[in-house]
Amino acid sequence: MTSPSEPRKSSRESAEAQRRDNLHSLGGAHDATEAVYGFPAPLWRALERHRPPGMGLLQRWRSPLRGPWLTSVFGSVLLVGLPVVILTGLLSYIAYGPQFGQAIPNNVGWLKLPTFDWPSRPSWLYRLTQGLHVGLGLIIIPVVLAKLWSVIPRLFTWPPLRSIAQLVERLSLLMLVGGILFELATGVLNIQYDYIFGFSFYTAHYYGAWVFIAGFVIHVLIKLPKMVAGLRSLSFRTVLRTSRADTRPEPRDIHGLVANDPAPATVSRRGALALVGGGALFVAVFTAGQTLGGFTRRAALLLPRGRSRGKGPNDFQVNRTAVAAAITPADTGANWRLILRSQSRRMLLDRATLEAMPQHTAELPIACVEGWSTTQTWSGVRLRDLAALAGMPNPARATVRSLERFGGFNHAVLQANQVSNPDSLLALRVNGVDLSADHGYPARVIVPALPGVHNTKWVRSIEFGQP
């Protein structure tokens, strides 16, 4: 039998629990207990008493979909996707050859990465890593926005801080949110070659990435247990079977994600997931073609350089035209000579001499940092044959310089494995015809797995050297 005191005790506990729920609100003036304040408690209480105007507007965020489960679902997707974006971005920096001082920024102090010789096999390596970096970075934008939507009321709680631990969490959140929004904004503008921000994209994007990475790591360490608990709070299968009419708010949570006075649902949780997933799919369909190529390129409406560069075998993407590089017919005419240098020899070769040398043909991609790539059939002289002709059959490096007089990428330093690769070429022809002016006539470098800007066009000289 139940004693008479037990129902009364249960009633008192329920009332107290309800009181705590009512007090724990985004715009509430007080907390349920003094225990919510950490050291130094007087400071946090003083912040609470000086509430800024407009905090009542938070009560307008009444969506019944918000809660630990939905936030955790979006967070778990980002927990899988963002590390791939981070890793491929750092690999792109290494592919630019920071050991040769040609990655931007060059001098990064203690943020220097453990560099290594970027592989020249497989030939599609940079196409894969940079395609993932840009493509996945674009695809997760709807998920990032949905995640921010799910927690935005929490970003404006008052008082903003109640303990030192929460201060650390807020700082990590500032780095995380500010960092990812900065990286996405500058990344998208760079893809479209729109540098309205007025500073070096490469420098800002690199340092911004480290701010984001630090915030991401700290935030994951703090939030991972809560994310796991949130995912377990509802059955994914049950959510997918629940209609809008049957959608109910999640139980009140101590983190304030659930609205205090939820409005009726205008869409189900499965509808919200479909909306975000559909947005990600939409972005994928209209951007992936710039990396995949082939028939998918027709669907890539956001291609920064368009779908066509004219007609014929030279009809493929161009990052920098001859006009933009100030290359004139006089520079590339009959008087053009390739300068070969080594420690013991200097030679001048005209195009006829190069065409008389053994020719090699290879199907190789060009992949650029903006995410687009294209695969073409190139013909020309192997770089290792030119190194042997210059009297240095096994060079440690090769410095390739362009006729282009200005610009940060008018030269490139190639590693030993890039020079020795049998498919590394000083290309004279593409798809069976001479290179066009925009594609680097009279000669350009094509190296497997090398970032596009280092496949130097309008080559003026190649110098082979030792360390």
Side-chain angles (χ1 to χ4, degrees):
M1 295 180 63
T2 303
S3 66
S5 62
E6 288 178 350
R8 289 194 297 271
K9 181 179 179 182
S10 176
S11 178
R12 288 196 301 271
E13 290 175 348
S14 298
E16 178 62 21
Q18 183 63 42
R19 186 176 74 87
R20 286 197 300 268
D21 282 347
N22 291 338
L23 288 173
H24 187 81
S25 64
L26 296 177
H30 300 284
D31 292 300
T33 64
E34 295 294 331
V36 297
Y37 291 100
F39 176 84
L43 175 60
W44 315 134
R45 292 195 187 98
L47 283 175
E48 184 182 24
R49 289 193 296 269
H50 294 81
R51 184 182 307 277
M55 294 301 291
L57 294 175
L58 299 178
Q59 300 303 317
R60 297 184 180 181
W61 286 320
R62 300 174 57 202
S63 172
L65 303 186
R66 287 193 179 95
W69 184 84
L70 191 63
T71 296
S72 298
V73 169
F74 294 141
S76 63
V77 174
L78 296 177
L79 185 60
V80 174
L82 286 176
V84 177
V85 176
I86 292 170
L87 178 61
T88 51
L90 296 179
L91 287 176
S92 178
Y93 181 82
I94 293 174
Y96 269 63
Q99 66 270 38
F100 299 127
Q102 58 188 7
I104 302 175
N106 179 18
N107 185 10
V108 296
W110 55 274
L111 291 178
K112 181 180 179 181
L113 293 169
T115 57
F116 53 85
D117 284 348
W118 183 251
S120 62
R121 294 185 179 92
S123 63
W124 42 261
L125 177 62
Y126 189 73
R127 182 183 192 180
L128 173 66
T129 59
Q130 194 60 17
L132 277 175
H133 179 70
V134 173
L136 189 56
L138 291 172
I139 290 170
I140 65 174
I141 288 178
V143 186
V144 170
L145 296 178
K147 177 68 160 54
L148 291 177
W149 171 87
S150 73
V151 300
I152 194 168
R154 186 65 183 150
L155 300 179
F156 297 96
T157 55
W158 197 265
L161 301 172
R162 298 180 180 180
S163 66
I164 297 297
Q166 195 174 45
L167 173 62
V168 175
E169 179 184 350
R170 287 278 171 161
L171 289 175
S172 73
L173 196 61
L174 177 63
M175 298 168 68
L176 176 70
V177 175
I180 196 169
L181 291 179
F182 178 83
E183 293 296 280
L184 289 176
T186 56
V188 169
L189 289 171
N190 177 65
I191 292 170
Q192 297 300 323
Y193 302 96
D194 193 352
Y195 302 107
I196 60 175
F197 35 74
F199 48 75
S200 168
F201 162 76
Y202 295 96
T203 301
H205 205 68
Y206 185 80
Y207 287 117
W210 283 111
V211 172
F212 164 69
I213 291 170
F216 179 73
V217 171
I218 296 172
H219 196 73
V220 168
L221 293 175
I222 294 174
K223 294 294 187 179
L224 186 59
K226 299 175 183 178
M227 187 192 77
V228 173
L231 290 173
R232 292 175 176 175
S233 64
L234 287 177
S235 166
F236 194 83
R237 181 177 298 178
T238 301
V239 169
L240 295 183
R241 292 176 176 175
T242 303
S243 66
R244 178 187 62 80
D246 295 328
T247 297
R248 298 291 182 269
E250 295 185 47
R252 295 294 301 276
D253 70 308
I254 62 173
H255 309 296
L257 293 175
V258 179
N260 296 311
D261 182 22
T266 57
V267 64
S268 64
R269 288 186 178 85
R270 70 182 180 188
L273 294 177
L275 179 64
V276 176
L281 180 61
F282 176 85
V283 174
V285 169
F286 287 103
T287 59
Q290 69 172 346
T291 298
L292 299 178
F295 71 93
T296 62
R297 191 174 294 277
R298 297 179 181 179
L301 299 182
L302 301 181
L303 278 173
R305 293 305 194 197
R307 295 184 186 83
S308 176
R309 294 300 305 179
K311 297 181 180 180
N314 277 274
D315 177 19
F316 56 94
Q317 287 67 30
V318 173
N319 199 5
R320 189 167 174 83
T321 65
V323 171
I327 302 297
T328 67
D331 297 321
T332 60
N335 292 329
W336 174 83
R337 298 291 185 273
L338 171 69
I339 304 172
L340 284 186
R341 290 195 186 97
S342 68
Q343 293 177 347
S344 60
R345 194 172 300 175
R346 182 180 185 275
M347 305 178 66
L348 296 177
L349 305 176
D350 60 16
R351 186 177 162 95
T353 302
L354 291 170
E355 290 176 339
M357 294 179 65
Q359 302 291 296
H360 179 72
T361 299
E363 187 174 303
L364 299 173
I366 294 179
C368 284
V369 70
E370 296 84 10
W372 66 264
S373 61
T374 180
T375 300
Q376 307 296 331
T377 301
W378 309 89
S379 300
V381 184
R382 286 187 169 108
L383 292 182
R384 66 184 188 184
D385 292 345
L386 293 174
L389 183 64
M392 190 169 288
N394 297 301
R397 65 173 68 183
T399 302
V400 184
R401 301 189 183 279
S402 173
L403 292 169
E404 184 179 1
R405 297 165 182 81
F406 307 102
F409 300 109
N410 61 1
H411 69 282
V413 181
L414 306 179
Q415 307 158 179
N417 65 320
Q418 293 169 336
V419 177
S420 63
N421 189 301
D423 287 335
S424 295
L425 302 176
L426 178 70
L428 307 175
R429 299 165 66 84
V430 61
N431 299 324
V433 301
D434 288 346
L435 296 168
S436 67
D438 286 342
H439 285 302
Y441 182 88
R444 70 170 297 167
V445 165
I446 295 293
V447 175
L450 188 68
V453 292
H454 286 169
N455 287 290
T456 307
K457 296 192 289 188
W458 313 294
V459 175
R460 173 169 59 89
S461 67
I462 305 177
E463 182 175 356
F464 300 100
Q466 297 298 336

